[in-house]
Amino acid sequence: MRTHHSVSLPLRIAGPVVVFLILAFVMLPVVVAVLAAFNEKAMLSFPPESWSLKWFERVFTYSDFKDGFHASLIVTAWSSVIALVVGTGLAIAVKRLEFVGKETLQAILHSPLVIPHFTLGLGLLILVSQLKLQRGYAVVILCHVMLVLPFVLRSVYVSMENLDERLEQAAASLGASPLKVLFTITVPLLAPGLFGGWLFAAIMSFSEFTASLFITTQATQTLPVSMYNYVREFADPTLAALSAVYIVVTACVLAFANYFLGLGKVLNIEDSH
Amino acid sequence: MAMRSGLRASLLSPAFLVAVCICVALLSVFQFSFRAFVPGSMDVGGLTLANFTTLNKSIYLDAFINTLRLSVETTVLSLLVAYPLAYALVRVRRRVLKSAILIISITPLFLGEIVRTYSWIIVLGSNGFLNTMLRKLGIIDQPLSLMFTHLGVLVALVHVTIPVVVLMLATAISHINRDYEKAAQSLGAGPIRTFLTVTLPLSMPGILASVTTAFAWTFSAFATPQMIGGGRVPTVSTLVYQLGFSSMNFPLAASLSVAGLAMTIAALVILGRFTRRMKLAGGH
């Protein structure tokens, strides 16, 4: 039963208005960037007086963006999959096993949420140069694994909370080995949460900037880093066009994920009462 | 059910390796912050405290104070703005509306700092959206200077933290048992009183989590103060980058990072205590 009738009329109007205004604030820069991308003039101004698609053409032909996209794909593919494997293993171990240093291990792995990205980036840069190693993809991927792992852990923990342990017990009592239970019962039941975690990790890794700025080189420069370098060199709306592509793709991916997975469940924000 | 030790090791060792890497990366920064600077190279000299005494200059102290101020302001503002969104996200019943609020409020999280910051430049610039609108409406004659200001950086930073704060608050609000609210209302409390005495105190875990994260994210933000502040809104992050890549003084950059990390941890401990006290005061 809702107690809606007890909420006075001004409150019932004020609530939605406030929410709408905040949503408008969140949307504003996103919408403005998409519109500015179609501006014909080479100067960044709003609103556009004449329209053009030429900046989109430049996005897809500018070599730094192509290389950056390529590097980002490599880094994202590896780091999101590694983070998923590491995170799932840890989440299962934390839920099912007692071991020494459990709390400490979890605290360290969650710490990149509060440790500044520039500190971690700087740390890896120093480490690599002191060990006289190459600043190749391995370092960038390792860095991204650290940064996206907390997000994977969150979504795997949430889906483990919703897992019915009796199904695993049933399999075990029917004679399945722990390994068989893990791969035939636990992992398939966790699949939506695992996919959600992987997706989050992938998008976060694809758009990570600050730490990447410290540890990438010309050869491993990810897309956000080449975007940053572009703004420092040019003032035309090319980056608005690239942002527009970014925004549309991201919003579509999230909408699809919401439709097929129910993001509310993955994110643990479903009203449970 | 006892898991075999092989399985246990294969579940845990990858996580253990990543944890070791995080620790080693942090130790590298720590270790470098006590080393003498050798100009023009990544090699360093002997142990010294000189880097930390260098930090005691107004340029660095100002950056610290400014970063702290930005972090506190951003945290408070994003809490105020994100709470209604999180509340609506959990309590709105129509699925379409719920999905729309969810997608709109979390999309900025996934765009990354560069796209978000660049979008704000188009909004705040002197020929940007805001100035054009205000001029067309006849409210201003001269463009307002919003770029390269504290206010401009603050607005963009709040925008950055909103999605993550919304998610954390929504998780907390979704776990509140509605029966408590109904009980308060059946005892005669109005909606505002119910909210202030029941819903708000019960969402304190989410508020604590989001305060911590919003603070740390703002402290860590680099592209936003760098691009919108344009050097006129100095922060710890922009100075670390400048010291490292313009002056190649990595030891000093490391000591600034260490000091920054110490300040983040101190601030988080204080904020945590404060929020916990509020929680106790509100809960009983």
Side-chain angles (χ1 to χ4, degrees), chain B residues 96-247:
Chain B
V96 180
L97 212 54
K98 209 185 184 76
S99 301
I101 297 176
L102 179 64
I103 302 286
I104 293 174
S105 38
I106 67 171
T107 300
L109 175 64
F110 298 107
L111 295 178
E113 236 189 319
I114 295 292
V115 173
R116 278 183 310 225
T117 306
Y118 185 76
S119 305
W120 275 106
I121 293 177
I122 311 174
V123 174
L124 300 173
S126 53
N127 289 315
F129 171 80
L130 265 181
N131 274 314
T132 310
M133 286 300 148
L134 291 175
R135 238 177 321 182
K136 281 194 173 157
L137 292 170
I139 298 172
I140 53 166
D141 301 324
Q142 290 297 311
L144 300 174
S145 37
L146 299 163
M147 284 290 290
F148 315 125
T149 62
H150 185 89
L151 181 69
V153 175
L154 178 62
V155 171
L157 284 174
V158 171
H159 188 248
V160 173
T161 47
I162 285 175
V164 73
V165 174
V166 167
L167 284 182
M168 291 182 160
L169 290 176
T171 303
I173 295 171
S174 71
H175 286 85
I176 294 175
N177 193 332
R178 286 273 191 93
D179 293 342
Y180 292 128
E181 291 170 9
K182 284 177 201 151
Q185 284 176 342
S186 70
L187 291 169
I192 294 174
R193 184 139 180 227
T194 306
F195 176 77
L196 290 178
T197 56
V198 179
T199 317
L200 192 61
L202 286 175
S203 47
M204 269 306 161
I207 294 180
L208 176 64
S210 45
V211 162
T212 314
T213 313
F215 188 91
W217 280 35
T218 313
F219 196 92
S220 160
F222 168 72
T224 308
Q226 175 82 7
M227 288 161 72
I228 295 187
R232 266 172 264 181
V233 184
T235 61
V236 175
S237 61
T238 56
L239 279 184
V240 167
Y241 183 73
Q242 220 172 300
L243 283 173
F245 290 94
S246 301
S247 324

Side-chain angles (χ1 to χ4, degrees), chain A residues 252-270:
Chain A
C252 288
V253 168
L254 288 177
F256 274 114
N258 188 38
Y259 184 77
F260 289 109
L261 286 175
L263 278 186
K265 252 190 222 105
V266 175
L267 296 167
N268 199 18
I269 55 170
E270 294 282 288

